[in-house]
Amino acid sequence: MHFVDAKGLLTGSGGYYGMNIYRGCTHGCIYCDSRSRCYHFTHPFEDVEVKQNAPELLERALKSKRKKCMIGTGAMSDPYMHCEEKLGLTRKCLEIILRYGFGAAIQTKSDRILRDLDLLEEINRQAKCVVQITLTTYDDKLCRLIEPNVCDTKQRIRVLEKMRERGIPTIVWLTPLLPFINDTEENVMAILKECDRVGVKGILCFGMGLTLREGDREYYYAALDRHFPGLKERYIKRYGNAYELPSPNADRLRDLFYSFCREKNILSGTEDCFRYMRELPEKYRQLSFFDRDI
C-alpha cells in the first residue's frame, strides 16, 4: 500500500459521476479485468494506491455542483478491500455524500460494507442508495479458489439480506461465468434463486462467459495451472487469444437467466439496470421488501 495526493477524483458528467478511492486490489480474484495492461498500472496490482486526499477532493467537487446526482464507486477497485478497514476513506466519502444530499451507488464483493450500514440507510432515506454485490459461484469451496481473499458467496448473500431489511435496493453482478468452471445451470440457478429470495432489484450479466486481456490473461492462466491442471490448454485450444470467451453453455444459460428474471419481475437488461443505478429522481421512495416496481 502506498499513498498519493490525487489531482482529481470524480469522472463522468451530467447525472452520474464515478470515483475510485483506491487503485489496485488485494482480493485476488483470478479473473480480474482491472489487472489488464491497458489500464497502465505503474505499480504491482496488490500494492494498492491510496488516494489519501479523496475526501477533500470529493467535498470540493460536490460543493460546486448545483444539481444532485448519483456518485458511484467500485467499478475498478473495490472500495471495501482490506485497507479500508484501517483507513476508512470510503466511509469518509459516504459521510460527505450524505452531507451534501447526493445519492450513492456502491459496488463490492466484501461484507465490510456492513460497517457503513448506518450511512447507507441515511443516504437512501435522504436521496438514494444502491448497493451492488458480485456473485459468481454459489459453492463456497469453489468460490474461495476463484475469489480467495474476500468473503464467500454466503456472506455476500447475507449482505443482500441486511440491505433488504433496511430498505436499500440491490443489484447483483452475475459475472463472470468461467468456462468449464462455474458456467453450469446448477450454479446459475442457485444464485438466481437466492437473488429472488432476498429481493434484489436487478441482476447484471454481460453475456455468459469471461473476457481476457493482456495482463489479465497471464494471471488467470497461472491460477488455472495451480487449481485446475490441464484446463489452460483446453482454453488455448478453444479460444486462442480471444478477448471474449463465451461459455459453451451460453445459449442455455442465457435463456434460463432471462426467463427467470421475467418470471420474478427482476430487472435483467443491462441498460435498465444501469439506468436504475445512475438515476436520482427528484422524489425517491425507499424500496420496501420485495418491491421491484420502483
Side-chain angles (χ1 to χ4, degrees):
M1 178 171 64
H2 64 281
F3 297 84
V4 299
D5 284 320
K7 294 181 180 179
L9 185 68
L10 296 185
T11 59
S13 61
Y16 179 85
Y17 292 89
M19 63 179 180
N20 284 295
I21 301 165
Y22 303 108
R23 195 160 187 260
C25 191
T26 52
H27 285 167
C29 303
I30 68 173
Y31 52 75
C32 182
D33 177 71
S34 294
R35 293 180 179 275
S36 301
R37 288 184 187 158
C38 63
Y39 298 118
H40 305 294
F41 272 78
T42 57
H43 56 85
F45 192 70
E46 286 77 12
D47 178 17
V48 175
E49 180 179 284
V50 179
K51 298 176 184 176
Q52 60 186 351
N53 60 335
E56 291 80 9
L57 291 173
L58 180 62
E59 182 156 23
R60 188 186 309 159
L62 297 191
K63 271 183 178 179
S64 68
K65 297 189 186 304
R66 293 183 179 180
K67 184 179 179 182
K68 309 301 182 186
C69 64
M70 298 292 285
I71 307 296
T73 190
M76 283 291 293
S77 295
D78 198 305
Y80 287 102
M81 69 181 86
H82 302 82
C83 58
E84 170 61 19
E85 199 165 303
K86 177 182 178 181
L87 300 175
L89 291 177
T90 297
R91 182 173 180 87
K92 290 176 183 176
C93 287
L94 289 175
E95 290 172 342
I96 293 165
I97 288 171
L98 174 62
R99 186 183 313 141
Y100 287 94
F102 285 73
I106 306 162
Q107 182 180 351
T108 185
K109 290 187 178 83
S110 176
D111 58 357
R112 290 186 186 89
I113 193 173
L114 293 177
R115 179 203 64 184
D116 295 338
L117 194 52
D118 59 331
L119 286 174
L120 303 177
E121 185 177 18
E122 189 62 20
I123 291 170
N124 194 49
R125 188 183 70 81
Q126 292 192 18
K128 179 181 177 182
C129 181
V130 182
V131 170
Q132 307 153 64
I133 299 289
T134 300
L135 303 178
T136 66
T137 310
Y138 187 74
D139 178 80
D140 282 338
K141 184 177 180 180
L142 180 58
C143 177
R144 282 188 285 272
L145 292 181
I146 294 171
E147 300 155 343
N149 302 326
V150 68
C151 68
D152 61 29
T153 299
K154 303 305 183 297
Q155 290 170 283
R156 293 179 222 171
I157 291 171
R158 176 173 168 266
V159 171
L160 293 169
E161 290 177 318
K162 291 293 183 182
M163 296 301 159
R164 183 192 64 176
E165 290 171 6
R166 301 295 184 97
I168 299 169
T170 53
I171 298 284
V172 162
W173 291 64
L174 178 57
T175 185
L177 293 176
L178 312 179
F180 315 117
I181 297 177
N182 65 348
D183 60 334
T184 66
E185 187 171 331
E186 178 184 15
N187 178 54
V188 171
M189 183 54 73
I191 293 173
L192 291 176
K193 286 180 177 178
E194 287 294 83
C195 288
D196 178 49
R197 183 179 68 81
V198 300
V200 303
K201 174 68 180 180
I203 306 174
L204 274 165
C205 185
F206 297 94
M208 292 287 171
L210 169 69
T211 59
L212 291 179
R213 293 191 263 209
E214 187 180 5
D216 175 22
R217 181 181 290 106
E218 292 82 354
Y219 190 86
Y220 182 70
Y221 280 170
L224 293 188
D225 283 340
R226 288 195 307 272
H227 303 303
F228 309 97
L231 190 53
K232 178 180 73 175
E233 289 72 24
R234 192 175 179 184
Y235 268 70
I236 293 171
K237 182 178 180 181
R238 183 179 183 95
Y239 300 111
N241 286 323
Y243 169 62
E244 294 185 358
L245 287 65
S247 164
N249 308 318
D251 290 342
R252 186 170 78 252
L253 294 177
R254 192 178 298 110
D255 290 344
L256 183 152
F257 170 69
Y258 286 115
S259 174
F260 184 92
C261 290
R262 281 194 302 270
E263 178 185 344
K264 302 298 182 178
N265 196 27
I266 299 173
L267 287 179
S268 59
T270 302
E271 290 185 7
D272 292 335
C273 287
F274 275 106
R275 186 181 305 112
Y276 178 77
M277 289 188 290
R278 294 180 173 184
E279 285 183 348
L280 179 59
E282 289 188 13
K283 292 185 178 180
Y284 169 67
R285 180 171 63 87
Q286 281 182 272
L287 188 69
S288 59
F289 291 173
F290 299 105
D291 184 354
R292 296 182 179 130
D293 296 325
I294 296 176

